[in-house]
Every structure is written in C-alpha cells, then in structure tokens.
Amino acid sequence: MSLLPPPPIVPDAPGRRWRLLHLIATSALFLLPALVLSLPANLLPFGLLLVVTSLFGIDYLWHARLPVKPVVRLLLGLAVVVVALGMVSAWGSDRSVREVDKVSRFLVMPWAALWVCALRPSRQALWWGAWAGLFATLAIAVAQVVGGQARAEAWTNAIVLADVSLVLMVLLVFCRTPGRWGWIVAGMAAGGCVILLSGSRGAWPAMLALLLALVFSLRWGRGHVRLAMLSGLVLAAAVLLLAVPGLREQTRLDELHSDVQRLERGDMNSSAGARLELLNVAWDTFRERPWTGIGIGHFDKAMQRLPDCMRRVSGSESRCHLGHAHNDVAEWASTQGIPGLLLLLAVYGLPLWLFVRLHRRSGEDGFRGPAAAGVMLVVAYALCGLTQSMFAHQITTATYATLVGVLCGLSLVEAAGRRLRTECAAGRPGAARSAATTA
C-alpha cells in the first residue's frame, strides 16, 4: 500500500471559493489547539468550521478522496469498528446515548484527514495555535491557583488539563520550522508550568519521553552530549522540586510519600491506594467477563464489589464513584473484555504504524514534521494512559481523533508536495502542469 499519493487535485485551477475555504480551514487549524483548553467550548469552534468548510467545499473533498484513499480507508475502518463495538457494549444501558456519542468522535479521523488533503490548511497555523493555547492555558491555571484552588483545572479536571497540555507541547516541538527555538523554549516552559500547577503526576513520564525525542531529533553536538545535558536538566529540576517546599506540595510529592506509607499499613483510602484498588477491581471484572466486560461506561458497577461500597461506608463515596479505571488497559478490558483490549491496541497501534511509515517516506531532515508529531501524540497518550483512562473523557477522545486525522492529512500533503517539487526540479513531463493546478 502506497502512503505517498500524488498531490491532492482540486477541480480546475483553484478560484476564490477554494482560497476562501483554505483561509477558513487555516483559521480552524489555529483554533483547534488554541481553544481546546482555554475555552469551555474546547473543540466546538474548530468543529463548526470543519462542518461549514466541508459542506461548502464538498466537491473538493470528493476530488481529493482518490489520491488518499488507502489512508482514509484505514482510518475509517478503525473508526467504524470502535463505534460498532461501543454501540454493542452500550446497547440497552441507561448511558448508551452518552457513550455512543463519545466513541462517535473517532469518525472525525478520516474526515479530518480528507479535509486537510482537500483544503490544505497551513501547518504553521497548528504550531501557532499550540503556542497560543499553552500561554492562554497558563494564564487560566495561574488565576485559578492564585484564586485559592489547590490544583488548576481550567474547564475540565486537573489530570486532563495536564495531559492535553502535553499534547500541545508535542505539536509545538514537532510541527516546528527552523529558527524559532526561543518561541519553543518559552512554550515548553509555559506547558511545564501548567502541568506543575495542575498537580498531576501522570503526565511526567510522557514529558520525559517528549524531551528525549526532542534531544535526539536535534542535529547539533553528539548524541551522548545532548543526553548528558538532558540528564543534568532533569536532575536539576528534581533537586529544585525536592528542595522547595511549595513546589514539593504543588507536585504532590509529599502526598505520594504519605500514600506509600498508608499502603504499607493496608490503608487504601489515598490517591495511590485508589489506583491500586481500581486495578484490582478491573482485573477481577475482566476474569469474570473476559469476552464482554461489564459494559462501556459502567465501571462504577464493578466498583460495587468492594466491601466499603456494598456497605456504603461513610467517606467511601469518592472511591466508589470514580467513574473509570484510571488506566487505559484496565478500563477497556473490564468494560469491553478481550475485544476491547484488541481494539485499544488498534486505536494506538494503527495510527502509530501509519505515522512511522509516513515519516520514513516524508523526506524530513530529522525527526520532525507532522508525522513525527503523530508518533509522539500516540506515545504521549499511551504513557498518560498508564494513570488515566484517556478515552473516558470527551475532550481527550475528541483531541486524539481530530489530531490523528489532521496530522495524517498534513503528512500526506507535505510529502506529496515535496515529491512534486523534486519532479519539477528533475524536469519530468507533466510536473509543471500538476504544480500549477495544485498550487
């Protein structure tokens, strides 16, 4: 299967309508990361512009479908399977409409990829949107903490805030163009501060993976020198966090130490204890119903197996109604059984495979570009999924599905454009005409 199609062709030479739609699509690509955390509506402005431009440019999307058919077909197949299994699992439950609406967000993947290939919005709009989104979110986080909140949450919750902020940092780093390192360092600092103010510890492993990928994607110095510099930076940050009481409290390191001590005494009523308890409940549920699970969106029912929840012990309400397993594997296995586990593997594995192949054939100088951003998007979600159910929330589900489609589309367009320029430079027949019709 070829993942490097010819450049998407629009009917005839693009006129004013296509250029207007291209401009609106570029604006939508900016709003996607800029507003995902900084407004309560998060992805709604992008979604509205996606619908409007798709309706008024339906002929452009139709003409773009053939060159990118293999990728769009794969994404569509994945989305249909996710939605179908979600509908079967939620059938007849009191939460079926809500859960089906959540998994239906995966249908945006092929749509967004085709939309990008047809209207070709600028990758730089996505980069600037991520930068603006990080600083807007930092302003909100600072205002909330200064206003008396223990943890910044923006318009969602603290864990989701940290995880999506990390996604914006991925876009900032890998959708970059040369010569903007000052902007990138500032944006990374803003994102790090947001994660710090959120008090979430689950995003730090993904942050470390992001820094490692960034270090090894650079072309200056030797690899071991860059790794030593990163190690020194991480060590200095760790010493600072441990030495300053305010930072130690904000990152909940003292709480983690206390949680471990309580676990040693057999006390599960803590953040770390609750995580371990959830994993045990998920495992027991999976063993009882390995093929169907307890039903998507119904992890609360599994929690009722706990003695404190059955007796409705005072103070146990928060433990009994956490809503999900706070772990991707535990969540999908306990609610959808073995089919859910296999589907989770596909949800992460298929986009990762696509992005790796697209990057290998992209011609990018080093590990950067939309395909590299796609690889790190999947890696970040998988690592954050160790301590959070990433697809149990509307915002994280929609962000993943939308960005997978957008980054696939950008990768295809940029690779095709690079190949076209190579053909033009080589003087191949028909290349100049194709360049004129796709400019």
Side-chain angles (χ1 to χ4, degrees):
M1 181 185 65
S2 175
L3 295 182
L4 287 181
I9 304 298
V10 298
D12 303 320
R16 283 187 298 179
R17 180 167 66 94
W18 184 89
R19 295 184 190 281
L20 177 61
L21 292 173
H22 166 77
L23 180 61
I24 297 174
T26 299
S27 301
L29 212 57
F30 173 84
L31 296 178
L32 167 59
L35 303 183
V36 65
L37 290 173
S38 55
L39 280 186
N42 50 77
L43 293 177
L44 180 60
F46 168 81
L48 291 175
L49 293 179
L50 173 66
V51 171
V52 169
T53 51
S54 297
L55 288 176
F56 284 94
I58 187 66
D59 52 331
Y60 297 119
L61 271 69
W62 180 254
H63 281 80
R65 79 192 189 283
L66 291 177
V68 296
K69 188 175 182 179
V71 172
V72 172
R73 180 182 290 174
L74 279 173
L75 294 178
L76 179 60
L78 175 61
V80 168
V81 173
V82 172
V83 173
L85 184 59
M87 292 177 66
V88 170
S89 182
W91 182 262
S93 73
D94 56 345
R95 304 179 66 180
S96 58
V97 175
R98 178 178 179 273
E99 296 304 325
V100 170
D101 175 63
K102 191 185 301 177
V103 296
S104 69
R105 307 302 171 94
F106 280 93
L107 293 172
V108 177
M109 285 193 302
W111 181 7
L114 185 60
W115 174 79
V116 169
C117 291
L119 302 181
R120 301 196 295 278
S122 170
R123 186 222 297 187
Q124 288 307 294
L126 190 66
W127 186 89
W128 281 111
W131 193 89
L134 285 168
F135 275 91
T137 305
L138 176 61
I140 295 170
V142 169
Q144 288 182 336
V145 173
V146 171
Q149 287 188 205
R151 302 171 63 181
E153 297 181 343
W155 315 107
T156 174
N157 65 60
I159 301 176
V160 170
L161 173 64
D163 294 343
V164 178
S165 295
L166 184 71
V167 169
L168 298 187
M169 295 166 71
V170 167
L171 299 178
L172 186 76
V173 169
F174 294 103
C175 290
R176 68 185 187 272
T177 54
R180 287 181 177 164
W181 283 107
W183 297 84
I184 292 172
V185 170
M188 290 285 285
C193 289
V194 171
I195 295 175
L196 179 68
L197 293 174
S198 74
S200 175
R201 300 182 294 253
W204 292 113
M207 169 76 91
L208 181 59
L210 171 60
L211 292 175
L212 279 171
L214 173 60
V215 164
F216 286 107
S217 71
L218 300 177
R219 290 305 183 99
W220 52 267
R222 295 185 177 180
H224 68 274
V225 174
R226 286 175 274 156
L227 184 59
M229 292 179 62
L230 175 62
S231 301
L233 178 63
V234 171
L235 181 61
V239 170
L240 183 64
L241 289 175
L242 292 172
V244 179
L247 292 177
R248 195 166 62 241
E249 180 181 355
Q250 188 62 45
T251 53
R252 299 165 61 222
L253 292 178
D254 288 338
E255 180 184 323
L256 179 61
H257 179 67
S258 174
D259 288 354
V260 172
Q261 291 180 326
R262 295 171 70 173
L263 280 173
E264 291 175 347
R265 297 194 301 266
D267 182 2
M268 305 292 287
N269 195 17
S270 63
S271 177
R275 292 291 203 281
L276 185 59
E277 200 170 51
L278 289 168
L279 292 176
N280 289 332
V281 169
W283 172 242
D284 291 340
T285 304
F286 175 71
R287 287 193 303 171
E288 289 181 6
R289 306 183 182 188
W291 291 106
T292 61
I294 200 167
I296 188 171
H298 286 282
F299 190 76
D300 270 1
K301 290 183 178 179
M303 290 297 292
Q304 302 311 308
R305 70 171 58 249
L306 295 175
D308 287 352
C309 297
M310 288 188 291
R311 295 195 303 265
R312 298 185 180 180
V313 175
S314 177
S316 65
E317 289 82 3
S318 59
R319 293 167 59 199
C320 301
H321 299 286
L322 288 173
H324 50 80
H326 277 278
N327 177 282
D328 270 341
V329 174
E331 175 74 15
W332 288 61
S334 62
T335 59
Q336 300 183 76
I338 292 174
L341 274 178
L342 296 176
L343 190 55
L344 177 64
L345 180 62
V347 164
Y348 283 144
L350 181 58
L352 182 63
W353 176 78
L354 278 175
F355 285 126
V356 168
R357 292 196 63 179
L358 286 168
H359 179 68
R360 288 175 59 187
R361 304 184 183 191
S362 66
E364 287 281 0
D365 182 23
F367 189 65
R368 65 183 180 90
V375 170
M376 289 310 300
L377 169 72
V378 177
V379 170
Y381 259 72
L383 289 175
C384 290
L386 297 175
T387 56
Q388 173 68 304
S389 300
M390 299 300 290
F391 301 107
H393 303 275
Q394 298 279 11
I395 182 173
T396 44
T397 303
T399 299
Y400 182 80
T402 304
L403 285 178
V404 165
V406 165
L407 293 172
C408 269
L410 289 173
S411 301
L412 290 167
V413 170
E414 292 188 10
R418 188 174 290 106
R419 191 173 68 176
L420 180 61
R421 289 190 295 271
T422 302
E423 291 177 355
C424 287
R428 295 183 184 179
R433 181 181 61 82
S434 297
T437 59
T438 57

